[in-house]
């Protein structure tokens, strides 16, 4: 009950605290983008998992997701990083709905100058026809599409080839320890990178933590990287 009361305060006071994690080019480690990751200023709701756990119990996942995006871009616009691209997360429950399109349309109208990439979790990519329509909506809004956590579940190779994203983010479980992984696992990942690039997607390695992982991902053909090696989530 206390958690739910705190969640109500979170929404009423718009008390999310936007954090931003760097995304860099692997070859030169040049900062090109940030992923928006929200934290909370409300005691007991600092952890995003707890925040969304409370939201789920109240059926407020979409509301919380929208609040994070709105407050994050407000901070981004007024920061020195306003010229970078901002990756915005979506909740699986809001994909792909008219409400999400309306929410993104409002963001574009409010922040016409910002470069935005919308992340869709791999598990939410189930219907190529719907994804194609959604991608067309994003194109009209001058936003890019990213598939998040690729490889964490079924891989969605059909959707990848039929509705290729602008950016494909490979799940950190595929990247972690890749430098010391078996030859078979390395070749599998190299093949997936090649398929993604052949489809026209920019490939991004998530969860890079060591120089060895970085070097291996670079050798495999990854173009972008994200992880503690390049920077932890922090406020702007």
């Amino acid at each position: 009950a206390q958690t739910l009361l705190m969640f109500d305060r979170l929404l009423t006071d718009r008390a999310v605290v936007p954090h931003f994690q760097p995304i860099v080019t692997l070859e030169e480690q040049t900062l090109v983008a940030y992923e928006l990751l929200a934290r909370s200023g409300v005691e007991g709701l600092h952890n995003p998992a707890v925040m969304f756990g409370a939201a789920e119990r109240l059926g407020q996942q979409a509301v919380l997701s929208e609040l994070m995006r709105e407050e994050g871009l407000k901070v981004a616009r007024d920061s020195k990083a306003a010229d970078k691209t901002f990756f915005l997360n979506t909740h699986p429950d809001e994909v792909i709905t008219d409400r999400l399109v309306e929410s993104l349309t409002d963001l574009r109208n409010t922040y016409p100058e910002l470069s935005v990439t919308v992340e869709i979790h791999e598990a939410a990519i189930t219907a190529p026809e719907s994804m194609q329509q959604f991608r067309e909506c994003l194109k009209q809004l001058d936003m890019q599409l990213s598939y998040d956590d690729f490889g964490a579940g079924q891989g969605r190779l059909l959707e990848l080839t039929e509705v290729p994203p602008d950016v494909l983010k490979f799940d950190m479980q595929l990247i972690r320890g890749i430098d010391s992984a078996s030859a078979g696992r390395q070749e599998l990942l190299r093949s997936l990178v090649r398929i993604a690039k052949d489809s026209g997607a920019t490939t991004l390695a998530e969860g890079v933590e060591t120089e060895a992982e970085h070097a291996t991902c670079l050798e495999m053909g990854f173009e972008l990287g994200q992880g503690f090696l390049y920077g932890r989530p922090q406020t702007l």
Side-chain angles (χ1 to χ4, degrees), residues 50-220:
V50 177
M51 294 164 64
F52 273 100
E56 184 174 358
R57 291 160 67 183
L58 293 170
Q60 297 291 301
Q61 301 98 311
V63 174
L64 178 57
S65 189
E66 289 166 3
L67 176 62
M68 289 181 169
R69 294 192 294 264
E70 292 165 3
E71 293 300 307
L73 288 192
K74 182 187 298 182
V75 171
R77 178 189 59 186
D78 299 330
S79 74
K80 294 180 180 179
D83 61 330
K84 307 302 181 187
T85 295
F86 294 93
F87 282 65
L88 306 182
N89 285 293
T90 58
H91 190 277
D93 283 0
E94 59 177 341
V95 178
I96 301 167
T97 62
D98 291 340
R99 175 169 181 160
L100 175 59
V101 173
E102 292 171 3
S103 168
L104 296 175
T105 301
D106 289 342
L107 286 179
R108 175 49 75 210
N109 291 334
T110 305
Y111 307 103
E113 74 281 11
L114 294 182
S115 175
V116 171
T117 296
V118 178
E119 294 194 22
I120 302 296
H121 192 276
E122 185 217 49
I125 307 169
T126 56
E129 183 176 344
S130 296
M131 282 305 306
Q132 184 63 52
Q133 294 174 354
F134 182 64
R135 179 168 185 174
E136 288 302 314
C137 289
L138 290 183
K139 186 176 180 180
Q140 293 176 16
L141 294 173
D142 192 25
M143 295 180 176
Q144 291 198 318
L145 173 66
S146 171
Y147 293 165
D148 191 22
D149 295 332
F150 180 75
Q154 300 180 38
R156 306 292 182 189
L157 287 176
L158 177 61
E159 288 78 3
L160 173 62
T161 54
E162 291 196 1
V163 192
D166 297 291
V167 180
L168 186 65
K169 302 182 75 172
F170 282 70
D171 186 71
M172 64 176 61
Q173 296 304 319
L174 291 174
I175 306 301
R176 196 63 48 79
I178 191 61
D179 56 294
S180 57
S182 66
R185 179 183 160 194
Q186 289 190 357
E187 184 54 36
L188 173 61
L189 183 55
R190 186 177 285 106
S191 297
L192 290 174
V193 171
R194 185 165 54 249
I195 292 172
K197 294 175 76 171
D198 286 346
S199 75
T202 297
T203 52
L204 186 155
E206 290 189 284
V208 179
E209 294 189 348
T210 68
E211 291 288 354
E213 290 172 351
H214 166 88
T216 303
C217 288
L218 180 60
E219 183 274 328
M220 287 182 170

